[in-house]
Amino acid sequence: MWFEEFELGAVYEHRPGRTVTEADNVLFTTLTMNTQALHLDAAYSAGTEFGEPLVNSMFTLSTLIGLSVAQLTQGTIVANLGFSEVKFPHPVRHGDTMYAETLITDKRESKSRPGQGIVTFEHTARNQHGKVIAVAVRQTLVQKRPVDPAQEG
């Protein structure tokens, strides 16, 4: 979507969802050098309050953002500017399916970059039971719709 297409208060549901496997979790966790036993060690995890390994929260965050790309920012994003809030209110387990939605909370034209604007997204992920598993507020720099030279003159 171009900057001009985003409307304050609009909510976008991102489908299909993404079922998280043990292989996803182990691969992501090892690729990112996260040696937390809660993600990798089934015997250790069995002794925790969760009773099993949990999915790496950074995988959860990455997947939450990734679920929104095709619908919102494919080909128009310039850069992620930052995250102002990230929460994980409910753990993700192997076999859970993530579904995402995005609320447009703010937008403004860039003061320093003509042809671009800043859009603030509030992304929410829910599992297959409807429980919120992640929330992230993200500011992005997005391209404006290109001007057609034939319409300018």
Side-chain angles (χ1 to χ4, degrees):
M1 295 178 64
W2 302 106
F3 173 79
E4 294 85 354
E5 295 177 292
F6 290 104
E7 294 182 28
L8 291 179
V11 176
Y12 300 90
E13 290 188 355
H14 311 300
R15 299 299 186 267
R18 172 66 158 78
T19 301
V20 181
T21 68
E22 181 178 7
D24 295 328
N25 189 41
V26 170
L27 178 62
F28 184 89
T29 298
T30 56
L31 284 173
T32 58
M33 302 294 291
N34 181 340
T35 58
Q36 176 52 252
L38 188 57
H39 305 310
L40 295 172
D41 185 330
Y44 168 84
S45 299
T48 69
E49 65 185 273
F50 305 107
E52 62 185 332
L54 297 181
V55 172
N56 185 319
S57 58
M58 295 299 99
F59 178 88
T60 301
L61 177 62
S62 295
T63 303
L64 168 57
I65 302 307
L67 285 166
S68 74
V69 169
Q71 192 172 7
L72 299 181
T73 59
Q74 184 73 46
T76 59
I77 192 170
V78 177
N80 278 319
L81 300 177
F83 291 85
S84 57
E85 184 178 336
V86 177
K87 297 179 193 175
F88 303 104
H90 189 77
V92 178
R93 293 174 164 81
H94 303 150
D96 280 349
T97 301
M98 295 178 58
Y99 297 97
E101 62 190 48
T102 300
L103 168 67
I104 309 305
T105 61
D106 193 30
K107 70 180 258 189
R108 68 173 178 82
E109 293 187 18
S110 173
K111 295 174 184 158
S112 61
R113 293 177 152 255
Q116 299 173 358
I118 298 169
V119 180
T120 303
F121 302 115
E122 182 179 293
H123 301 287
T124 302
R126 299 176 194 279
N127 68 14
Q128 68 274 15
H129 305 296
K131 288 186 178 178
V132 174
I133 56 177
V135 177
V137 176
R138 173 173 72 127
Q139 295 76 38
T140 60
L141 190 61
V142 178
Q143 295 175 8
K144 289 184 173 182
R145 184 182 303 281
V147 177
D148 181 354
Q151 293 179 354
E152 273 192 330

